[in-house]
Amino acid sequence: MRSSLFHNLPNVLSSVRLILSPLTLFLPEKVLPSFFFILAVSDALDGFLARWLKAQTELGKVLDPLADKVMLLCGVMVCVYKLDALPEWFLYLSVSRDLFLLLGAGLLTMKNRSVPSARLWGKVYTFYLSFLIILCLLGVSVERLFWLAPIFLITSWLDYSLVGLRRLKSQTFSSALS
């Protein structure tokens, strides 16, 4: 029982982050920085624990990025609509990227029967955007730091797209040979 709990701990953390992230839309501004920081730390912690405990699962490959996307989307929405600290177009760009990646991952999962893994540029984007959101929630102006966020967003989007296209192409090519 105990080893089963430890083995599932990363998925439990991702699930809790997924469930709690929408609360950022309703919490008072004074608790938002601490609350979002805890969510962001849980993101780093679940990945670390999954590797350390050798508890990487197909469920975790779906749950963790989904929880990340919900956490970041809620954080950006607060920064755009509640704090007026980020431009609205960035929210739309973020949603577009995430929808594209979710659809692409779904397609690859259906074709390959395995969930695509996270990529370095996606992790860089997630870390940097979490950092910016925390600064916004603390009342710090991110005007000078913001420009990197769209660059990381587009770079990660292109990286995932190119890898996904290569996988689809190789899958199509190998199935044509069969």
Side-chain angles (χ1 to χ4, degrees), residues 37-177:
F37 180 77
I38 291 168
L39 292 175
V41 167
S42 80
D43 177 29
L45 187 59
D46 68 12
F48 169 78
L49 287 173
R51 286 184 295 282
W52 186 61
L53 296 171
K54 295 179 179 43
Q56 293 149 315
T57 64
E58 292 297 303
L59 175 62
K61 285 183 184 179
V62 172
L63 213 55
D64 179 52
L66 182 61
D68 292 350
K69 285 168 182 35
V70 171
M71 175 188 77
L72 293 175
L73 176 62
C74 292
V76 171
M77 287 175 71
V78 167
C79 292
V80 168
Y81 295 118
K82 205 173 199 178
L83 304 176
D84 198 28
L86 293 177
E88 196 171 357
W89 63 263
F90 183 72
L91 173 64
Y92 300 138
L93 189 63
S94 298
V95 169
S96 299
R97 172 198 175 264
D98 289 347
L99 286 174
F100 181 85
L101 294 184
L102 286 171
L103 291 172
L107 178 65
L108 284 172
T109 300
M110 287 185 336
K111 285 193 106 18
N112 298 334
R113 304 241 188 259
S114 69
V115 180
S117 297
R119 307 269 306 153
L120 176 63
W121 283 110
K123 291 179 181 186
V124 168
Y125 170 68
T126 298
F127 174 80
Y128 192 75
L129 188 53
S130 295
F131 171 70
L132 279 184
I133 290 168
I134 291 168
L135 289 178
C136 288
L137 296 175
L138 289 169
V140 176
S141 172
V142 296
E143 195 173 316
R144 291 185 179 166
L145 300 171
F146 172 71
W147 65 273
L148 274 175
I151 290 173
F152 289 152
L153 181 150
I154 291 167
T155 302
S156 71
W157 192 345
L158 288 172
D159 180 53
Y160 279 115
S161 299
L162 292 173
V163 168
L165 286 172
R166 269 189 245 125
R167 285 189 185 152
L168 282 175
K169 198 175 192 180
S170 70
Q171 183 75 21
T172 304
F173 180 72
S174 62
S175 64
L177 293 176

